[in-house]
Amino acid sequence: MCLRVYESQTRKHANTQTRQKMIIQLKKDITNGQLEQLKEKLDGIKYKTNRVDTQFGNYIIGVGKHEFDIRSIGILDGVQDIHRVSDAYKLVSKKWKVNDTIIDLGDGVHIGSGHFQMMTGPCSIESEEQISNTIELLKANNIKIMRGGVYKPRSSPYSFRGLGLDGLKMWYQKAKEAGIKIITEVMMTEQIESMHDYIDIFQVGARNSQNFNLLDALGKVDKPVLLKRGISGTLDELLQAAEYIFSNGNERIMLCERGIRSYEKAYRNTFDINAIAMLKEKTHLPVIADPSHGIGVRKFVEPVALASIMAGADGVIFESHQTPEKAFSDGQQTLNNNEATRLIQKMRKTYALREEMKRM
Ligand code: PEP
Ligand code: MN
């Protein structure tokens, strides 16, 4: 190898090795003077900074090359804490936030860190009667969150594409009366505002997992987001997508494993059970499993759901319908009410077993 090339490569390597990233948590009552002093200190060591303000905290993300003693920043007035984070994603990393995030949906419904939640409902919202039937299923099983699509990303433009906002309003009315929370997919930034008052969780689908404009916009809303893994997305890509939402101000994010595309054709997707265990290690955000899209075959939704719980999932979202054979979309992977009830009971048992095993 020519010496010049070798030198430039080693220099590049040395540079990446010395690149430092840090998260500085600011005190709520930090004064302008203290902020100025902190800025001066960071400018002094030539760190680039990004300010992030969320509903829960104020942070400065610093990136630079100089080695320095982090205590010299940690002791500054107005600084709550400082952490080095080597991952490309930062605010969603577990390296600085040891306690897992708990998402509070109100009315005593929590997700994450000891609060296991199940969410079920049809792939698509189809009719008032279908909504009522699903709500009955949820109430009979003490499930608090109903899923359903009103804007459907379909592979073919000729397939059913959802009832839209009118369908969502009808659903909201019935869910609210029953004390049930709503999770539904938002496909475009322009839909956020009109959907906002009728939903409890915005879902970002696999096809929009790296739609950075949508993620930026969801960072500015005061509702939680369930972010699905992209169809061929790596875990790093998923975590960096979540970082978009967090760094725009919304800390209330859940990550969802829903299967990835592989060379295997025997089922719809390859559900990546590894991802659940690995994500629980990498991030403080709750991790949700979607076995329905994960395998895409009704008969196997149950074993995959139970396995995902053992792997560490904080919740499971799955598709159910009173008559799956007649469902407008994804009937082949949808459970009927009896199958859904049985699965819910088995999931509760599996979760209890997992928690018991943690203590062994
Ligand atoms: C869905 O939840 O119905 C859906 C379309 O999921 P995904 O984005 O994972 O395909
Ligand atoms: Mn579906």
Side-chain angles (χ1 to χ4, degrees):
M1 190 189 294
C2 144
L3 187 61
R4 247 196 5 248
V5 172
Y6 174 74
E7 270 184 353
S8 75
Q9 281 187 354
T10 45
R11 209 174 318 123
K12 204 164 137 204
H13 185 57
N15 279 349
T16 48
Q17 274 200 327
T18 54
R19 207 173 157 83
Q20 306 283 334
K21 298 158 200 158
M22 61 179 153
I23 296 175
I24 302 166
Q25 281 175 275
L26 306 177
K27 285 193 176 150
K28 280 231 161 348
D29 56 0
I30 187 168
T31 63
N32 285 340
Q34 290 166 345
L35 204 54
E36 214 38 60
Q37 202 184 11
L38 173 62
K39 280 242 168 81
E40 263 170 37
K41 179 93 185 162
L42 292 166
D43 285 348
I45 53 171
K46 296 198 167 53
Y47 267 56
K48 273 202 191 144
T49 57
N50 270 296
R51 170 84 184 237
V52 172
D53 295 317
T54 73
Q55 297 109 337
F56 300 110
N58 308 105
Y59 313 87
I60 287 182
I61 312 297
V63 182
K65 287 180 187 156
H66 280 258
E67 273 297 343
F68 69 98
D69 184 350
I70 61 168
R71 285 170 300 185
S72 64
I73 290 180
I75 54 155
L76 293 179
D77 290 333
V79 172
Q80 172 99 21
D81 216 341
I82 176 164
H83 320 259
R84 281 191 204 280
V85 181
S86 51
D87 301 318
Y89 46 89
K90 295 164 193 66
L91 290 159
V92 304
S93 169
K94 208 172 191 151
K95 294 222 172 91
W96 75 277
K97 190 165 179 273
V98 185
N99 293 333
D100 281 342
T101 291
I102 299 175
I103 293 179
D104 185 352
L105 290 173
D107 304 316
V109 184
H110 298 89
I111 308 178
S113 192
H115 303 275
F116 180 75
Q117 286 295 341
M118 293 173 273
M119 315 176 207
T120 192
C123 179
S124 301
I125 296 296
E126 299 166 5
S127 66
E128 199 169 337
E129 195 260 326
Q130 177 220 33
I131 295 169
S132 302
N133 186 280
T134 307
I135 288 177
E136 284 312 308
L137 169 75
L138 268 73
K139 284 176 71 177
N141 287 288
N142 197 24
I143 301 289
K144 305 286 187 208
I145 308 168
M146 177 169 163
R147 67 142 286 145
V150 294
Y151 295 113
K152 295 303 303 175
R154 303 305 302 277
S155 301
S156 162
Y158 309 117
S159 303
F160 176 66
R161 292 168 75 177
L163 295 182
L165 194 59
D166 289 341
L168 178 59
K169 287 182 180 172
M170 171 174 72
W171 177 17
Y172 171 78
Q173 210 57 45
K174 295 204 150 294
K176 183 128 180 97
E177 277 166 28
I180 299 282
K181 310 275 177 201
I182 286 180
I183 174 168
T184 194
E185 178 165 352
V186 56
M187 286 176 61
M188 295 191 299
T189 308
E190 296 72 30
Q191 291 165 344
I192 295 175
E193 205 179 317
S194 57
M195 292 172 76
H196 179 277
D197 292 351
Y198 305 103
I199 62 110
D200 297 283
I201 305 170
F202 280 112
Q203 175 175 317
V204 176
R207 291 154 195 82
N208 266 318
S209 193
Q210 284 188 306
N211 179 341
F212 300 120
N213 293 329
L214 181 62
L215 302 176
D216 275 345
L218 288 168
K220 298 188 174 77
V221 303
D222 59 355
K223 295 272 169 103
V225 177
L226 178 136
L227 173 64
K228 289 202 171 192
R229 183 177 182 181
I231 286 170
S232 304
T234 64
L235 296 190
D236 258 41
E237 284 165 342
L238 176 62
L239 289 159
Q240 297 224 51
E243 188 82 14
Y244 269 84
I245 303 172
F246 199 128
S247 63
N248 272 283
N250 189 354
E251 295 194 17
R252 298 199 292 165
I253 310 161
M254 289 163 260
L255 302 176
C256 179
E257 165 59 33
R258 49 77 73 200
I260 45 174
R261 178 155 294 172
S262 78
Y263 51 79
E264 184 52 67
K265 294 281 172 280
Y267 23 79
R268 184 177 182 185
N269 289 303
T270 296
F271 186 81
D272 182 4
I273 199 91
N274 304 357
I276 307 231
M278 192 73 96
L279 284 169
K280 290 296 299 169
E281 180 78 12
K282 284 176 178 282
T283 178
H284 54 82
L285 299 174
V287 177
I288 309 296
D290 175 350
S292 307
H293 295 87
I295 187 156
V297 185
R298 184 182 308 145
K299 193 172 166 190
F300 303 118
V301 169
E302 179 179 304
V304 175
L306 301 182
S308 73
I309 296 172
M310 291 317 275
D314 297 295
V316 174
I317 185 166
F318 70 97
E319 290 179 337
S320 59
H321 192 287
Q322 53 187 327
T323 41
E325 315 70 47
K326 293 193 186 147
F328 289 6
S329 56
D330 284 353
Q332 82 291 345
Q333 64 192 32
T334 298
L335 306 190
N336 67 30
N337 290 353
N338 287 337
E339 290 162 336
T341 301
R342 205 168 54 231
L343 176 57
I344 291 163
Q345 288 165 357
K346 288 192 185 182
M347 286 199 282
R348 289 208 168 105
K349 284 207 157 160
T350 307
Y351 177 68
L353 176 65
R354 179 183 98 195
E355 292 306 288
E356 187 191 319
M357 289 204 301
K358 264 191 197 163
R359 294 188 286 270
M360 283 170 77

